[in-house]
Amino acid sequence: MGLSPFVLALSLSVLASAIALDSEESYAPSASDQLYDDVVVGDYPGAVARTRYFENENKGEIVEEVVTRLLRDAKRNIVEYAYQLWKENLKETVEQRFPVQFRPILDGNYVKFINKRDGLALKLAYAVDDVGDRLAYGDVQDKTSERISWTVIPEWENNRVHFKMLYTQRNQYLKLAIAKDSIGDHEAYGANEDDTYRHQWYFHPVKYEHDVLFYIFNREFGQALKLGRDADSDGDRVLWGHNGNVLGSPELFGWFIAPF
């Protein structure tokens, strides 16, 4: 005996509801998706709270998964996320769940900047110009002396973290010049003052092969640091801001940030 039209309609309705419910559940965001989205949209209080919950529940692997995704997708916000965790007493999470390359930009210790393309470490010249500034170079030989020693000073503003890069030997701050050359690049100097956006930088991490590199962008001009192609008599190269897109080319514009 076949089902009555009423029973058949009711059965189909129940089946459709079950399928719809199953579909909604299958598209519900996972715990890692929620944390990932918090970081991407800049909801750092939410990301910190969610991370603290995961750590308290011994689910730190979720944080590691999200960090891996953020790096894979080259999301700049991962630096703000790490900074907020560090500041909100979740330092151990950064140390355990993030690549080790994040620690030097947060722990306040001395660092060195070495560009990927040429393997040269960042320094300032001995000589000063008429306003006391020093040209910035990549050093062809030095990887260990105080001449390549820097500290990074974070400043939080408008939901972003920017950094001042302080050259420890001369107590000068890295900046880009106001003037630009014929192709729109701005030359880099060390300066005694530190009061403009030209003296502020943001670090955009990217996974490259087995390393984590950083694009270093100037806040004022949005130009990423690079070394010139012309070497001087010592083999050193002048530091510039690049007038153009650098994303997708870490092998040319990426920097190692390493403990000194």
Side-chain angles (χ1 to χ4, degrees):
M1 180 181 293
L3 295 175
S4 69
F6 173 76
V7 173
L8 180 60
L10 181 61
S11 299
L12 290 174
S13 176
V14 170
L15 178 60
S17 297
I19 292 173
L21 180 60
D22 181 68
S23 177
E24 288 178 5
E25 290 179 349
S26 66
Y27 284 104
S30 67
S32 63
D33 288 336
Q34 292 171 346
L35 178 56
Y36 180 91
D37 291 341
D38 284 345
V39 176
V40 170
V41 302
D43 180 8
Y44 302 113
V48 169
R50 207 179 297 275
T51 301
R52 196 185 304 276
Y53 170 79
F54 292 148
E55 293 290 6
N56 290 340
E57 295 296 315
N58 296 315
K59 296 180 179 179
E61 69 278 359
I62 295 176
V63 180
E64 288 187 34
E65 177 186 337
V66 170
V67 168
T68 299
R69 289 175 61 192
L70 291 166
L71 274 176
R72 180 197 65 202
D73 298 341
K75 298 295 185 182
R76 169 190 168 185
N77 289 14
I78 191 175
V79 175
E80 276 77 10
Y81 175 41
Y83 173 79
Q84 286 295 323
L85 292 176
W86 195 276
K87 188 170 69 74
E88 295 297 329
N89 299 316
L90 286 165
K91 175 181 174 181
E92 288 187 0
T93 295
V94 179
E95 293 175 337
Q96 296 173 6
R97 313 298 183 190
F98 285 67
V100 296
Q101 291 87 347
F102 280 77
R103 297 180 203 172
I105 66 176
L106 298 171
D107 63 18
N109 294 322
Y110 293 168
V111 300
K112 51 189 174 183
F113 297 90
I114 301 175
N115 87 311
K116 171 65 176 176
R117 185 175 190 177
D118 303 301
L120 307 188
L122 187 58
K123 68 175 182 181
L124 295 184
Y126 286 116
V128 297
D129 63 15
D130 55 353
V131 296
D133 292 347
R134 289 179 167 85
L135 269 173
Y137 289 88
D139 192 295
V140 71
Q141 294 182 332
D142 196 349
K143 295 289 188 299
T144 58
S145 83
E146 292 183 359
R147 287 211 68 200
I148 62 164
S149 172
W150 299 77
T151 57
V152 291
I153 304 167
E155 294 188 350
W156 185 264
E157 182 184 356
N158 296 329
N159 220 34
R160 286 293 192 189
V161 62
H162 294 91
F163 298 89
K164 293 178 180 178
M165 297 168 58
L166 177 64
Y167 188 60
T168 59
Q169 189 180 52
R170 301 295 180 181
N171 202 37
Q172 289 190 314
Y173 298 88
L174 191 70
K175 69 175 182 181
L176 288 186
I178 296 174
K180 55 189 176 182
D181 68 6
S182 60
I183 59 174
D185 292 346
H186 293 261
E187 209 161 14
Y189 290 84
N192 294 320
E193 79 283 354
D194 66 343
D195 56 351
T196 76
Y197 287 168
R198 293 186 294 116
H199 301 79
Q200 295 184 25
W201 307 85
Y202 64 88
F203 304 147
H204 189 142
V206 61
K207 194 78 163 58
Y208 180 70
E209 295 178 343
H210 301 297
D211 291 312
V212 174
L213 304 176
F214 294 86
Y215 302 110
I216 303 174
F217 284 94
N218 185 259
R219 182 175 182 180
E220 176 71 21
F221 300 115
Q223 294 189 347
L225 290 179
K226 68 176 180 182
L227 292 181
R229 295 298 83 214
D230 295 328
D232 64 16
S233 58
D234 295 324
D236 295 345
R237 298 177 185 272
V238 173
L239 185 69
W240 296 84
H242 178 71
N243 181 32
N245 180 39
V246 303
L247 299 180
S249 301
E251 72 282 5
L252 302 180
F253 301 101
W255 293 76
F256 297 99
I257 304 178
F260 179 75

